[in-house]
Amino acid sequence: PIGDYHVDLEATTVPRENNAIALVLDRSGSMADPAGGISTKSDLLRNAIQVFRDLMLSNDEIAVVTFDNLVDTPITIRQVGTAPAFSTIDITPRNTTWIGGGIQQGAVQLAGATHTNRSMIVLTDGNENVHPYIGEIDPSLLTNRTYAIGFGVPGTVSDAALNQITSNSHGDLIITGNISTNEQRFDLTKYFVQALAGVTKMDVILDP
């Protein structure tokens, strides 16, 4: 019957874990390639990681590692609330692709975290071409849950090696496909948000 009803809802909340995340970001020369409109891959990456940071909690821990044939750590592991702005991170494209070196440094940063829920998110748009390769890294460095975003199509982003470490660590691998139109230019941000949801064990609504 039509009318007003009082309904009591009860639920058990699940406390959010404290998270430590290392972002390992490709800045090789190909990141200067166009990726939708007037944007480059590097432009899309900068926008995506800023949204990623905005969605983290201030007491989460973050480290940012960049790699080409050199590895830099513009943000060492620290609480998000005390970390420099991501706009200060130099991801200007240059040189070649040392994914293994970036992952090694990401593992070093996570080893210094105080939070125990530790994860790594790796983004690359190319195949590794500087040793040590991912398969040559000490396996003891690959124990943290790892997510990877391959910025390209299968076969062009070291997807076989990335799939091995993500599946072994209960993470996930996302291959973006060809991001080349204005309609697709928000996809990279979406993939970073999905990875963050996996790290923090939150749910997101997935589109088809």
Side-chain angles (χ1 to χ4, degrees):
I2 298 175
D4 295 330
Y5 298 90
H6 178 82
V7 179
D8 292 322
L9 299 178
E10 295 183 0
T12 301
T13 60
V14 178
R16 188 181 189 277
E17 294 190 46
N18 290 325
N19 305 288
I21 302 173
L23 290 179
V24 178
L25 308 175
D26 193 339
R27 60 174 298 187
S28 59
S30 56
M31 290 292 290
D33 291 347
I38 61 173
S39 299
T40 65
K41 292 179 179 179
S42 183
D43 293 333
L44 297 190
L45 176 59
R46 185 174 298 283
N47 292 337
I49 61 174
Q50 184 57 56
V51 172
F52 185 94
R53 177 194 167 124
D54 290 345
L55 291 174
M56 294 185 71
L57 299 183
S58 61
N59 63 339
D60 286 338
E61 292 178 316
I62 187 72
V64 179
V65 175
T66 64
F67 67 88
D68 47 288
N69 60 305
L70 304 172
V71 174
D72 297 310
T73 310
I75 299 179
T76 56
I77 193 76
R78 66 188 67 192
Q79 288 194 344
V80 171
T82 65
F86 276 17
S87 59
T88 66
I89 300 170
D90 187 2
I91 54 172
T92 305
R94 64 183 189 185
N95 305 333
T96 50
T97 308
W98 187 16
I99 305 173
I103 290 174
Q104 284 179 316
Q105 182 55 228
V108 169
Q109 292 302 310
L110 288 176
T114 59
H115 297 330
T116 56
N117 185 40
R118 302 174 183 178
S119 302
M120 187 183 309
I121 300 176
V122 182
L123 175 130
T124 183
D125 80 323
N127 282 307
E128 55 189 346
N129 50 35
V130 180
H131 292 274
Y133 285 177
I134 296 171
E136 299 165 347
I137 297 175
D138 182 350
S140 67
L141 297 177
L142 302 176
T143 56
N144 295 302
R145 188 170 44 186
T146 303
Y147 296 79
I149 301 173
F151 201 170
V153 298
T156 67
V157 290
S158 288
D159 38 296
L162 291 171
N163 184 62
Q164 182 175 9
I165 63 169
T166 56
S167 59
N168 287 348
S169 64
H170 306 290
D172 196 14
L173 170 64
I174 298 170
I175 304 296
T176 67
N178 182 24
I179 297 182
S180 59
T181 67
N182 285 331
E183 290 77 14
Q184 293 174 313
R185 64 193 176 96
F186 298 107
D187 285 359
L188 186 63
T189 300
K190 177 182 71 173
Y191 296 140
F192 268 97
V193 172
Q194 288 176 350
L196 179 60
V199 167
T200 58
K201 299 182 180 179
M202 298 175 70
D203 291 327
V204 294
I205 298 174
L206 299 179
D207 57 27

